[in-house]
PDB file of all heavy atoms in Angstrom:
ATOM      1  N   ASP A   1       0.828  -1.211   0.000  1.00 88.00           N
ATOM      2  CA  ASP A   1       0.000   0.000   0.000  1.00 88.00           C
ATOM      3  C   ASP A   1       0.859   1.257   0.000  1.00 88.00           C
ATOM      4  O   ASP A   1       1.893   1.338   0.668  1.00 88.00           O
ATOM      5  CB  ASP A   1      -0.914   0.018   1.232  1.00 88.00           C
ATOM      6  CG  ASP A   1      -1.982  -1.064   1.154  1.00 88.00           C
ATOM      7  OD1 ASP A   1      -2.250  -1.531   0.031  1.00 88.00           O
ATOM      8  OD2 ASP A   1      -2.525  -1.441   2.205  1.00 88.00           O
ATOM      9  N   ARG A   2       0.401   2.247  -0.756  1.00 90.00           N
ATOM     10  CA  ARG A   2       0.979   3.592  -0.818  1.00 90.00           C
ATOM     11  C   ARG A   2       2.442   3.590  -1.266  1.00 90.00           C
ATOM     12  O   ARG A   2       3.215   4.457  -0.874  1.00 90.00           O
ATOM     13  CB  ARG A   2       0.825   4.294   0.532  1.00 90.00           C
ATOM     14  CG  ARG A   2      -0.630   4.537   0.926  1.00 90.00           C
ATOM     15  CD  ARG A   2      -0.749   5.534   2.041  1.00 90.00           C
ATOM     16  NE  ARG A   2      -0.142   5.088   3.268  1.00 90.00           N
ATOM     17  CZ  ARG A   2      -0.752   4.305   4.149  1.00 90.00           C
ATOM     18  NH1 ARG A   2      -1.989   3.893   3.936  1.00 90.00           N
ATOM     19  NH2 ARG A   2      -0.145   3.943   5.252  1.00 90.00           N
ATOM     20  N   VAL A   3       2.829   2.616  -2.084  1.00 92.00           N
ATOM     21  CA  VAL A   3       4.178   2.579  -2.649  1.00 92.00           C
ATOM     22  C   VAL A   3       4.086   2.712  -4.168  1.00 92.00           C
ATOM     23  O   VAL A   3       3.378   1.943  -4.816  1.00 92.00           O
ATOM     24  CB  VAL A   3       4.927   1.281  -2.281  1.00 92.00           C
ATOM     25  CG1 VAL A   3       6.278   1.231  -2.989  1.00 92.00           C
ATOM     26  CG2 VAL A   3       5.126   1.199  -0.780  1.00 92.00           C
ATOM     27  N   LYS A   4       4.771   3.694  -4.718  1.00 94.00           N
ATOM     28  CA  LYS A   4       4.850   3.872  -6.162  1.00 94.00           C
ATOM     29  C   LYS A   4       6.154   3.237  -6.638  1.00 94.00           C
ATOM     30  O   LYS A   4       7.236   3.674  -6.278  1.00 94.00           O
ATOM     31  CB  LYS A   4       4.816   5.358  -6.522  1.00 94.00           C
ATOM     32  CG  LYS A   4       4.833   5.610  -8.018  1.00 94.00           C
ATOM     33  CD  LYS A   4       4.778   7.107  -8.303  1.00 94.00           C
ATOM     34  CE  LYS A   4       4.800   7.373  -9.797  1.00 94.00           C
ATOM     35  NZ  LYS A   4       4.766   8.830 -10.091  1.00 94.00           N
ATOM     36  N   TYR A   5       6.032   2.191  -7.460  1.00 96.00           N
ATOM     37  CA  TYR A   5       7.199   1.413  -7.865  1.00 96.00           C
ATOM     38  C   TYR A   5       7.873   2.022  -9.096  1.00 96.00           C
ATOM     39  O   TYR A   5       7.201   2.478 -10.021  1.00 96.00           O
ATOM     40  CB  TYR A   5       6.795  -0.034  -8.154  1.00 96.00           C
ATOM     41  CG  TYR A   5       6.339  -0.775  -6.926  1.00 96.00           C
ATOM     42  CD1 TYR A   5       5.000  -0.750  -6.517  1.00 96.00           C
ATOM     43  CD2 TYR A   5       7.244  -1.491  -6.146  1.00 96.00           C
ATOM     44  CE1 TYR A   5       4.582  -1.416  -5.378  1.00 96.00           C
ATOM     45  CE2 TYR A   5       6.825  -2.170  -5.011  1.00 96.00           C
ATOM     46  CZ  TYR A   5       5.504  -2.125  -4.632  1.00 96.00           C
ATOM     47  OH  TYR A   5       5.092  -2.784  -3.503  1.00 96.00           O
ATOM     48  N   ASP A   6       9.192   2.022  -9.053  1.00 97.00           N
ATOM     49  CA  ASP A   6       9.984   2.537 -10.168  1.00 97.00           C
ATOM     50  C   ASP A   6       9.861   1.572 -11.344  1.00 97.00           C
ATOM     51  O   ASP A   6      10.239   0.410 -11.255  1.00 97.00           O
ATOM     52  CB  ASP A   6      11.442   2.665  -9.721  1.00 97.00           C
ATOM     53  CG  ASP A   6      12.308   3.375 -10.762  1.00 97.00           C
ATOM     54  OD1 ASP A   6      11.864   3.508 -11.927  1.00 97.00           O
ATOM     55  OD2 ASP A   6      13.422   3.783 -10.421  1.00 97.00           O
ATOM     56  N   GLY A   7       9.331   2.058 -12.467  1.00 96.00           N
ATOM     57  CA  GLY A   7       9.114   1.211 -13.632  1.00 96.00           C
ATOM     58  C   GLY A   7      10.256   1.218 -14.636  1.00 96.00           C
ATOM     59  O   GLY A   7      10.053   0.789 -15.775  1.00 96.00           O
ATOM     60  N   SER A   8      11.435   1.673 -14.237  1.00 97.00           N
ATOM     61  CA  SER A   8      12.570   1.733 -15.167  1.00 97.00           C
ATOM     62  C   SER A   8      12.970   0.338 -15.636  1.00 97.00           C
ATOM     63  O   SER A   8      12.952  -0.621 -14.864  1.00 97.00           O
ATOM     64  CB  SER A   8      13.769   2.398 -14.494  1.00 97.00           C
ATOM     65  OG  SER A   8      13.472   3.719 -14.103  1.00 97.00           O
ATOM     66  N   LYS A   9      13.330   0.241 -16.928  1.00 98.00           N
ATOM     67  CA  LYS A   9      13.847  -0.999 -17.501  1.00 98.00           C
ATOM     68  C   LYS A   9      15.218  -0.719 -18.109  1.00 98.00           C
ATOM     69  O   LYS A   9      15.412   0.322 -18.741  1.00 98.00           O
ATOM     70  CB  LYS A   9      12.895  -1.561 -18.550  1.00 98.00           C
ATOM     71  CG  LYS A   9      11.566  -2.033 -17.976  1.00 98.00           C
ATOM     72  CD  LYS A   9      10.711  -2.703 -19.045  1.00 98.00           C
ATOM     73  CE  LYS A   9       9.397  -3.225 -18.449  1.00 98.00           C
ATOM     74  NZ  LYS A   9       8.572  -3.923 -19.455  1.00 98.00           N
ATOM     75  N   TYR A  10      16.142  -1.657 -17.912  1.00 98.00           N
ATOM     76  CA  TYR A  10      17.513  -1.459 -18.364  1.00 98.00           C
ATOM     77  C   TYR A  10      17.915  -2.528 -19.378  1.00 98.00           C
ATOM     78  O   TYR A  10      17.632  -3.714 -19.179  1.00 98.00           O
ATOM     79  CB  TYR A  10      18.491  -1.532 -17.185  1.00 98.00           C
ATOM     80  CG  TYR A  10      18.307  -0.438 -16.163  1.00 98.00           C
ATOM     81  CD1 TYR A  10      17.447  -0.613 -15.069  1.00 98.00           C
ATOM     82  CD2 TYR A  10      18.984   0.768 -16.273  1.00 98.00           C
ATOM     83  CE1 TYR A  10      17.288   0.381 -14.125  1.00 98.00           C
ATOM     84  CE2 TYR A  10      18.830   1.776 -15.326  1.00 98.00           C
ATOM     85  CZ  TYR A  10      17.985   1.575 -14.258  1.00 98.00           C
ATOM     86  OH  TYR A  10      17.816   2.564 -13.320  1.00 98.00           O
ATOM     87  N   ASN A  11      18.548  -2.080 -20.463  1.00 98.00           N
ATOM     88  CA  ASN A  11      19.230  -3.003 -21.365  1.00 98.00           C
ATOM     89  C   ASN A  11      20.653  -3.183 -20.849  1.00 98.00           C
ATOM     90  O   ASN A  11      21.388  -2.192 -20.705  1.00 98.00           O
ATOM     91  CB  ASN A  11      19.261  -2.456 -22.793  1.00 98.00           C
ATOM     92  CG  ASN A  11      17.898  -2.528 -23.460  1.00 98.00           C
ATOM     93  OD1 ASN A  11      17.114  -3.439 -23.192  1.00 98.00           O
ATOM     94  ND2 ASN A  11      17.611  -1.573 -24.327  1.00 98.00           N
ATOM     95  N   VAL A  12      21.016  -4.414 -20.565  1.00 98.00           N
ATOM     96  CA  VAL A  12      22.335  -4.705 -20.002  1.00 98.00           C
ATOM     97  C   VAL A  12      23.138  -5.515 -21.017  1.00 98.00           C
ATOM     98  O   VAL A  12      22.649  -6.527 -21.537  1.00 98.00           O
ATOM     99  CB  VAL A  12      22.219  -5.476 -18.676  1.00 98.00           C
ATOM    100  CG1 VAL A  12      23.606  -5.781 -18.116  1.00 98.00           C
ATOM    101  CG2 VAL A  12      21.396  -4.678 -17.668  1.00 98.00           C
ATOM    102  N   GLN A  13      24.353  -5.079 -21.300  1.00 98.00           N
ATOM    103  CA  GLN A  13      25.250  -5.789 -22.206  1.00 98.00           C
ATOM    104  C   GLN A  13      26.486  -6.264 -21.446  1.00 98.00           C
ATOM    105  O   GLN A  13      27.130  -5.464 -20.755  1.00 98.00           O
ATOM    106  CB  GLN A  13      25.674  -4.886 -23.369  1.00 98.00           C
ATOM    107  CG  GLN A  13      24.542  -4.552 -24.325  1.00 98.00           C
ATOM    108  CD  GLN A  13      24.998  -3.686 -25.484  1.00 98.00           C
ATOM    109  OE1 GLN A  13      25.806  -2.785 -25.310  1.00 98.00           O
ATOM    110  NE2 GLN A  13      24.492  -3.972 -26.677  1.00 98.00           N
ATOM    111  N   VAL A  14      26.793  -7.539 -21.609  1.00 98.00           N
ATOM    112  CA  VAL A  14      27.999  -8.121 -21.016  1.00 98.00           C
ATOM    113  C   VAL A  14      28.972  -8.418 -22.166  1.00 98.00           C
ATOM    114  O   VAL A  14      28.699  -9.291 -22.996  1.00 98.00           O
ATOM    115  CB  VAL A  14      27.673  -9.399 -20.219  1.00 98.00           C
ATOM    116  CG1 VAL A  14      28.951  -9.988 -19.614  1.00 98.00           C
ATOM    117  CG2 VAL A  14      26.655  -9.095 -19.115  1.00 98.00           C
ATOM    118  N   PHE A  15      30.060  -7.683 -22.213  1.00 98.00           N
ATOM    119  CA  PHE A  15      31.061  -7.854 -23.272  1.00 98.00           C
ATOM    120  C   PHE A  15      32.159  -8.792 -22.771  1.00 98.00           C
ATOM    121  O   PHE A  15      32.820  -8.497 -21.765  1.00 98.00           O
ATOM    122  CB  PHE A  15      31.672  -6.506 -23.662  1.00 98.00           C
ATOM    123  CG  PHE A  15      30.666  -5.500 -24.140  1.00 98.00           C
ATOM    124  CD1 PHE A  15      30.186  -4.516 -23.290  1.00 98.00           C
ATOM    125  CD2 PHE A  15      30.206  -5.539 -25.444  1.00 98.00           C
ATOM    126  CE1 PHE A  15      29.271  -3.581 -23.737  1.00 98.00           C
ATOM    127  CE2 PHE A  15      29.284  -4.612 -25.905  1.00 98.00           C
ATOM    128  CZ  PHE A  15      28.803  -3.640 -25.057  1.00 98.00           C
ATOM    129  N   VAL A  16      32.357  -9.912 -23.471  1.00 98.00           N
ATOM    130  CA  VAL A  16      33.356 -10.910 -23.058  1.00 98.00           C
ATOM    131  C   VAL A  16      34.431 -11.027 -24.140  1.00 98.00           C
ATOM    132  O   VAL A  16      34.119 -11.293 -25.307  1.00 98.00           O
ATOM    133  CB  VAL A  16      32.699 -12.282 -22.802  1.00 98.00           C
ATOM    134  CG1 VAL A  16      33.747 -13.296 -22.345  1.00 98.00           C
ATOM    135  CG2 VAL A  16      31.592 -12.147 -21.756  1.00 98.00           C
ATOM    136  N   THR A  17      35.682 -10.815 -23.757  1.00 98.00           N
ATOM    137  CA  THR A  17      36.830 -10.956 -24.662  1.00 98.00           C
ATOM    138  C   THR A  17      37.897 -11.788 -23.952  1.00 98.00           C
ATOM    139  O   THR A  17      37.639 -12.362 -22.885  1.00 98.00           O
ATOM    140  CB  THR A  17      37.392  -9.578 -25.045  1.00 98.00           C
ATOM    141  OG1 THR A  17      37.783  -8.876 -23.842  1.00 98.00           O
ATOM    142  CG2 THR A  17      36.349  -8.748 -25.772  1.00 98.00           C
ATOM    143  N   THR A  18      39.094 -11.860 -24.557  1.00 96.00           N
ATOM    144  CA  THR A  18      40.211 -12.601 -23.950  1.00 96.00           C
ATOM    145  C   THR A  18      41.395 -11.669 -23.746  1.00 96.00           C
ATOM    146  O   THR A  18      41.569 -10.676 -24.467  1.00 96.00           O
ATOM    147  CB  THR A  18      40.638 -13.770 -24.837  1.00 96.00           C
ATOM    148  OG1 THR A  18      41.019 -13.273 -26.129  1.00 96.00           O
ATOM    149  CG2 THR A  18      39.499 -14.771 -25.002  1.00 96.00           C
ATOM    150  N   ASP A  19      42.193 -11.993 -22.762  1.00 96.00           N
ATOM    151  CA  ASP A  19      43.413 -11.224 -22.535  1.00 96.00           C
ATOM    152  C   ASP A  19      44.584 -11.881 -23.268  1.00 96.00           C
ATOM    153  O   ASP A  19      44.380 -12.809 -24.082  1.00 96.00           O
ATOM    154  CB  ASP A  19      43.690 -11.112 -21.038  1.00 96.00           C
ATOM    155  CG  ASP A  19      43.837 -12.461 -20.354  1.00 96.00           C
ATOM    156  OD1 ASP A  19      43.991 -13.494 -21.061  1.00 96.00           O
ATOM    157  OD2 ASP A  19      43.812 -12.503 -19.107  1.00 96.00           O
ATOM    158  N   ASP A  20      45.795 -11.441 -22.999  1.00 95.00           N
ATOM    159  CA  ASP A  20      46.975 -11.987 -23.679  1.00 95.00           C
ATOM    160  C   ASP A  20      47.216 -13.448 -23.356  1.00 95.00           C
ATOM    161  O   ASP A  20      47.888 -14.159 -24.125  1.00 95.00           O
ATOM    162  CB  ASP A  20      48.211 -11.161 -23.302  1.00 95.00           C
ATOM    163  CG  ASP A  20      48.113  -9.733 -23.798  1.00 95.00           C
ATOM    164  OD1 ASP A  20      47.350  -9.506 -24.757  1.00 95.00           O
ATOM    165  OD2 ASP A  20      48.779  -8.853 -23.214  1.00 95.00           O
ATOM    166  N   ASN A  21      46.680 -13.895 -22.248  1.00 94.00           N
ATOM    167  CA  ASN A  21      46.850 -15.296 -21.839  1.00 94.00           C
ATOM    168  C   ASN A  21      45.666 -16.163 -22.246  1.00 94.00           C
ATOM    169  O   ASN A  21      45.509 -17.265 -21.729  1.00 94.00           O
ATOM    170  CB  ASN A  21      47.053 -15.378 -20.325  1.00 94.00           C
ATOM    171  CG  ASN A  21      48.312 -14.663 -19.876  1.00 94.00           C
ATOM    172  OD1 ASN A  21      49.353 -14.722 -20.545  1.00 94.00           O
ATOM    173  ND2 ASN A  21      48.219 -13.965 -18.743  1.00 94.00           N
ATOM    174  N   LYS A  22      44.853 -15.667 -23.144  1.00 94.00           N
ATOM    175  CA  LYS A  22      43.680 -16.402 -23.621  1.00 94.00           C
ATOM    176  C   LYS A  22      42.667 -16.685 -22.512  1.00 94.00           C
ATOM    177  O   LYS A  22      41.907 -17.656 -22.585  1.00 94.00           O
ATOM    178  CB  LYS A  22      44.107 -17.725 -24.288  1.00 94.00           C
ATOM    179  CG  LYS A  22      44.997 -17.557 -25.504  1.00 94.00           C
ATOM    180  CD  LYS A  22      44.269 -16.830 -26.622  1.00 94.00           C
ATOM    181  CE  LYS A  22      45.148 -16.712 -27.857  1.00 94.00           C
ATOM    182  NZ  LYS A  22      44.461 -15.975 -28.956  1.00 94.00           N
ATOM    183  N   GLN A  23      42.646 -15.808 -21.504  1.00 96.00           N
ATOM    184  CA  GLN A  23      41.673 -15.936 -20.432  1.00 96.00           C
ATOM    185  C   GLN A  23      40.508 -14.975 -20.688  1.00 96.00           C
ATOM    186  O   GLN A  23      40.697 -13.855 -21.168  1.00 96.00           O
ATOM    187  CB  GLN A  23      42.319 -15.608 -19.079  1.00 96.00           C
ATOM    188  CG  GLN A  23      43.460 -16.542 -18.693  1.00 96.00           C
ATOM    189  CD  GLN A  23      42.985 -17.974 -18.532  1.00 96.00           C
ATOM    190  OE1 GLN A  23      41.959 -18.235 -17.892  1.00 96.00           O
ATOM    191  NE2 GLN A  23      43.732 -18.914 -19.097  1.00 96.00           N
ATOM    192  N   LEU A  24      39.321 -15.435 -20.370  1.00 97.00           N
ATOM    193  CA  LEU A  24      38.138 -14.610 -20.597  1.00 97.00           C
ATOM    194  C   LEU A  24      38.095 -13.441 -19.611  1.00 97.00           C
ATOM    195  O   LEU A  24      38.343 -13.610 -18.415  1.00 97.00           O
ATOM    196  CB  LEU A  24      36.874 -15.449 -20.457  1.00 97.00           C
ATOM    197  CG  LEU A  24      36.675 -16.571 -21.487  1.00 97.00           C
ATOM    198  CD1 LEU A  24      35.415 -17.364 -21.153  1.00 97.00           C
ATOM    199  CD2 LEU A  24      36.574 -16.002 -22.907  1.00 97.00           C
ATOM    200  N   ILE A  25      37.779 -12.272 -20.122  1.00 98.00           N
ATOM    201  CA  ILE A  25      37.548 -11.090 -19.297  1.00 98.00           C
ATOM    202  C   ILE A  25      36.249 -10.438 -19.777  1.00 98.00           C
ATOM    203  O   ILE A  25      35.801 -10.679 -20.902  1.00 98.00           O
ATOM    204  CB  ILE A  25      38.715 -10.084 -19.384  1.00 98.00           C
ATOM    205  CG1 ILE A  25      38.966  -9.672 -20.841  1.00 98.00           C
ATOM    206  CG2 ILE A  25      39.974 -10.664 -18.763  1.00 98.00           C
ATOM    207  CD1 ILE A  25      40.014  -8.595 -20.999  1.00 98.00           C
ATOM    208  N   TYR A  26      35.632  -9.609 -18.917  1.00 98.00           N
ATOM    209  CA  TYR A  26      34.337  -9.028 -19.306  1.00 98.00           C
ATOM    210  C   TYR A  26      34.182  -7.611 -18.771  1.00 98.00           C
ATOM    211  O   TYR A  26      34.887  -7.178 -17.846  1.00 98.00           O
ATOM    212  CB  TYR A  26      33.200  -9.914 -18.800  1.00 98.00           C
ATOM    213  CG  TYR A  26      32.893  -9.751 -17.325  1.00 98.00           C
ATOM    214  CD1 TYR A  26      31.844  -8.932 -16.898  1.00 98.00           C
ATOM    215  CD2 TYR A  26      33.641 -10.418 -16.350  1.00 98.00           C
ATOM    216  CE1 TYR A  26      31.557  -8.780 -15.550  1.00 98.00           C
ATOM    217  CE2 TYR A  26      33.364 -10.283 -15.009  1.00 98.00           C
ATOM    218  CZ  TYR A  26      32.316  -9.461 -14.608  1.00 98.00           C
ATOM    219  OH  TYR A  26      32.033  -9.302 -13.277  1.00 98.00           O
ATOM    220  N   SER A  27      33.226  -6.913 -19.331  1.00 98.00           N
ATOM    221  CA  SER A  27      32.793  -5.599 -18.849  1.00 98.00           C
ATOM    222  C   SER A  27      31.283  -5.513 -19.035  1.00 98.00           C
ATOM    223  O   SER A  27      30.709  -6.223 -19.870  1.00 98.00           O
ATOM    224  CB  SER A  27      33.505  -4.466 -19.597  1.00 98.00           C
ATOM    225  OG  SER A  27      33.192  -4.515 -20.978  1.00 98.00           O
ATOM    226  N   VAL A  28      30.652  -4.641 -18.241  1.00 98.00           N
ATOM    227  CA  VAL A  28      29.186  -4.512 -18.262  1.00 98.00           C
ATOM    228  C   VAL A  28      28.811  -3.076 -18.593  1.00 98.00           C
ATOM    229  O   VAL A  28      29.394  -2.128 -18.055  1.00 98.00           O
ATOM    230  CB  VAL A  28      28.578  -4.928 -16.910  1.00 98.00           C
ATOM    231  CG1 VAL A  28      27.062  -4.709 -16.914  1.00 98.00           C
ATOM    232  CG2 VAL A  28      28.900  -6.378 -16.598  1.00 98.00           C
ATOM    233  N   ALA A  29      27.844  -2.909 -19.481  1.00 98.00           N
ATOM    234  CA  ALA A  29      27.293  -1.588 -19.807  1.00 98.00           C
ATOM    235  C   ALA A  29      25.775  -1.666 -19.743  1.00 98.00           C
ATOM    236  O   ALA A  29      25.179  -2.716 -20.015  1.00 98.00           O
ATOM    237  CB  ALA A  29      27.749  -1.139 -21.190  1.00 98.00           C
ATOM    238  N   ALA A  30      25.143  -0.545 -19.354  1.00 98.00           N
ATOM    239  CA  ALA A  30      23.684  -0.520 -19.232  1.00 98.00           C
ATOM    240  C   ALA A  30      23.135   0.773 -19.811  1.00 98.00           C
ATOM    241  O   ALA A  30      23.811   1.808 -19.831  1.00 98.00           O
ATOM    242  CB  ALA A  30      23.257  -0.666 -17.782  1.00 98.00           C
ATOM    243  N   SER A  31      21.904   0.717 -20.270  1.00 98.00           N
ATOM    244  CA  SER A  31      21.203   1.889 -20.782  1.00 98.00           C
ATOM    245  C   SER A  31      19.714   1.721 -20.515  1.00 98.00           C
ATOM    246  O   SER A  31      19.220   0.595 -20.352  1.00 98.00           O
ATOM    247  CB  SER A  31      21.449   2.078 -22.281  1.00 98.00           C
ATOM    248  OG  SER A  31      20.955   0.956 -23.007  1.00 98.00           O
TER     249      SER A  31
END
């Protein structure tokens, strides 16, 4: 009761690449 919920929606991207040792690394971006 009496709570207005935040209706925001986010697109989330997880970028996965490899480093010099062929190990997976990642970064996250949102909009």
Side-chain angles (χ1 to χ4, degrees):
D1 291 339
R2 296 195 296 276
V3 175
K4 183 179 180 181
Y5 293 88
D6 188 345
S8 299
K9 293 185 178 182
Y10 296 90
N11 287 328
V12 179
Q13 292 181 321
V14 180
F15 302 99
V16 181
T17 58
T18 58
D19 58 14
D20 295 337
N21 297 321
K22 299 296 182 181
Q23 298 298 314
L24 295 176
I25 57 175
Y26 78 98
S27 62
V28 177
S31 62

